[in-house]
Amino acid sequence: MPHPLFEKHKATLDAAISAIHGRGYWTPYPEMPSPKVYGETAADDGKRAFEACLGADFVLDQPGQTGWAASERSPYGIDMAVRYPVCDPEALIAAAQGAMAGWRKLGADGRVGVCLEILDRLNKRSFEIAHAVMMTTGQGWMMAFQAGGPHAQDRGLEAVAYAWDEMSRVPAETVWEKPQGKNPPLKMKKHYEIVGRGVGLVVGCGTFPTWNTYPGLFATLATGNPVIIKAHSNAILPAAMTVKIARGVLAEAGQDPNLVSLAVVEQRAATQALATHPAVKSIDFTGSNVFGQWLIDNARQAQVYAELAGVNNVVIESTDSYKAMLRNLAFTLCLYSGQMCTTTQAILVPADGIDTDQGRKSFDEVAADLGAAIDKFLTDPAVATAVLGAIQSEATLDRIAEAGEYGRIVLASKKIDHPDFPKAEVRTPVLLSCDAVDEKSYMEERFGPIAFVVKVADAAAAVGLSERIVREHGALTVGLYSNKQAVIDAMTDATLRAGVALSINLTGGVFVNQSAAFSDYHGVGMNPAANAAYSDGAFVANRFRVVQRRYHVE
């Protein structure tokens, strides 16, 4: 009989399977923090639960604990001082390996059922997790709730759905008969067992510690493997909350909680040793090109799923909705101060300008009007602080300060005072212009609220440059504004060759740096920005193997 937790969540799983096949809009986790959905006291309960963590030990009861560490610095300036258990990596790996046999015996339906229960519990704790995400990453409240909570849970569920879709193709057993003419047939009983490949390591990032972690966590866990989450040193709390909830569900289900553990590792060398451990068979990584490439080159014993840096770009050739285009781009560049792996950095505009519904606009006018649109959007400090959030790292603040070296300043960055968090580092975007030949300026990722309006010879040159950027430096998103079908077709072909998602003429409430689970593939796996996608069959299928046994039967 199917596992009770599988039966409990089967309707959700069936709907998720239908969604990944149909690619339409669907979610079981409402994105609005409504008391009608999450409960009248959920908001207050979540805030109190978060506040209870501050200045305290975050107990996980993991093996091999050697001490405590507290490394987080909040971009909003609050004192975190949460102390996390530091555990011997060898002890975590040994405990994870010891938990594998029971996890395998539970079966695919049992593992999927447990994963779905974990996701359900995470959803119920969305407010608590949202505060942790907000205060460690600098995201605004609404983004922290949505991206850190329901949208991250969507991505986790999507990975579980793909895992079940792949595993359910394998029958548990069969009777094999081969005719032998006049002689009795050869008859065998064969069993097929799904076996996880080994310990999975998920290396979290500092800006999206749940959204970028849940796909790898749940894809690895559902397919029969234990998971160690190595959280970013400045965004541990959301990962620690996730681990604690997962360990609780596992224990309730009669499984070893050490199937999921948290590794607090402060030295890169220690992370490297963990990543290259022979027992680690899969690594999910989001972060810099330097360390991501190191993992790909050196963690040869593991399958590495890496999301790295890229230069996302937009081509503007023409538009019949000039103001709406500018508003859409302005919001794109402002959202979370550009601290998203999908945010546009290079905006490619023909030197002789573009045709619009307001007449011909020169290159300089397009740049100036985009700067004015950003300025206008951020006029209201309440809107500005809610959308911009706070700057997550000192390195990003340094990049903003030196941005004037990269091009001609169209719009300078400004510091905004946050009414609720006086120590928050809030910055508006800096917009620069440069020529296409100035490749050293715009053709590398400058993470944060830094964008370039790049002057190109013409539309064909813009399409060609966009493709070259993706091929050579990678991108997760590309956009196009054009009224001409020939240009749209050329850009479509270019993105198919380079392997990058394309958004065409976005002028409404959807933005190029947003992606929807169950419908949008986040990453393609064909260009240097990512070697995998959230999610598809390839993201899960190589995390398990099928081991068979057979014997003669009469």
Side-chain angles (χ1 to χ4, degrees), residues 127-465:
F127 283 90
E128 176 184 348
I129 293 170
H131 283 289
V133 169
M134 178 180 178
M135 291 304 164
T136 56
T137 68
Q139 292 179 27
W141 163 252
M142 187 58 76
M143 172 179 270
F145 182 86
Q146 293 181 338
H151 293 176
Q153 296 148 18
D154 281 340
R155 284 298 186 190
L157 175 57
E158 182 182 48
V160 174
Y162 271 104
W164 176 251
D165 207 30
E166 293 295 330
M167 293 187 296
S168 62
R169 301 176 196 274
V170 181
E173 60 184 46
T174 190
V175 174
W176 179 86
E177 288 193 53
K178 181 178 180 181
Q180 297 295 298
K182 294 180 179 180
N183 297 318
L186 296 174
K187 191 173 182 181
M188 302 193 80
K189 184 72 175 287
K190 301 184 180 185
H191 299 263
Y192 308 94
E193 190 145 358
I194 290 170
V195 177
R197 295 185 62 184
V199 178
L201 175 66
V202 179
V203 182
C205 69
T207 49
F208 287 89
T210 56
W211 199 95
N212 277 111
T213 294
Y214 286 5
L217 164 62
F218 286 100
T220 307
L221 195 61
T223 50
N225 309 278
V227 181
I228 297 172
I229 298 178
K230 187 276 170 191
H232 188 280
S233 60
N234 205 61
I236 303 174
L237 187 52
M241 289 176 172
T242 299
V243 168
K244 192 165 191 173
I245 291 167
R247 289 173 67 87
V249 173
L250 286 162
E252 288 176 21
Q255 293 295 306
D256 189 333
N258 293 315
L259 284 162
V260 178
S261 60
L262 178 73
V264 177
V265 179
E266 296 183 317
Q267 300 299 321
R268 173 164 291 197
T271 302
Q272 291 173 328
L274 181 60
T276 53
H277 194 286
V280 172
K281 297 302 181 183
S282 71
I283 300 173
D284 289 87
F285 171 79
T286 302
S288 71
N289 285 346
V290 173
F291 192 60
Q293 194 58 53
W294 187 93
L295 289 171
I296 293 170
D297 293 341
N298 292 277
R300 295 301 181 92
Q301 86 293 347
Q303 174 70 43
V304 178
Y305 303 87
E307 181 186 301
L308 310 173
V311 180
N312 303 308
N313 60 85
V314 167
V315 170
I316 303 178
E317 185 275 331
S318 59
T319 180
D320 58 7
S321 302
Y322 188 61
K323 283 189 176 181
M325 177 192 77
L326 293 175
R327 283 196 301 268
N328 191 282
L329 286 171
F331 184 88
T332 293
L333 299 179
C334 291
L335 185 60
Y336 186 30
S337 300
Q339 298 172 108
M340 303 173 67
C341 57
T342 50
T343 299
T344 301
Q345 178 176 295
I347 301 165
L348 313 182
V349 179
D352 63 351
I354 65 171
D355 287 326
T356 80
D357 54 322
Q358 297 184 12
R360 189 77 181 175
K361 296 289 183 178
S362 70
F363 173 87
D364 288 337
E365 286 177 313
V366 173
D369 290 346
L370 178 56
I374 293 170
D375 216 21
K376 181 179 180 181
F377 178 67
L378 299 176
T379 300
D380 183 344
V383 172
T385 53
V387 174
L388 292 170
I391 301 299
Q392 195 268 342
S393 75
E394 293 288 342
T396 301
L397 289 171
D398 292 341
R399 280 190 293 271
I400 297 169
E402 66 186 25
E405 302 173 12
Y406 310 142
R408 299 177 292 276
I409 296 178
V410 176
L411 181 68
S413 178
K414 295 181 293 188
K415 187 179 190 304
I416 295 179
D417 293 331
H418 199 295
D420 300 319
F421 303 99
K423 296 181 181 179
E425 295 287 358
V426 183
R427 298 290 189 279
T428 64
V430 55
L431 186 65
L432 307 160
S433 69
C434 65
D435 296 326
V437 293
D438 301 326
E439 294 187 2
K440 290 184 179 179
S441 293
Y442 66 89
M443 209 179 276
E444 66 175 78
E445 186 190 47
R446 302 196 184 279
F447 190 73
I450 303 166
F452 298 82
V453 183
V454 181
K455 184 183 291 185
V456 296
D458 51 28
V463 173
L465 179 57

Side-chain angles (χ1 to χ4, degrees), residues 439 443 465-475 498 527-529:
E439 294 187 2
M443 209 179 276
L465 179 57
S466 172
E467 181 176 356
R468 185 162 72 86
I469 289 172
V470 175
R471 286 183 179 278
E472 295 180 3
H473 299 278
N527 72 67

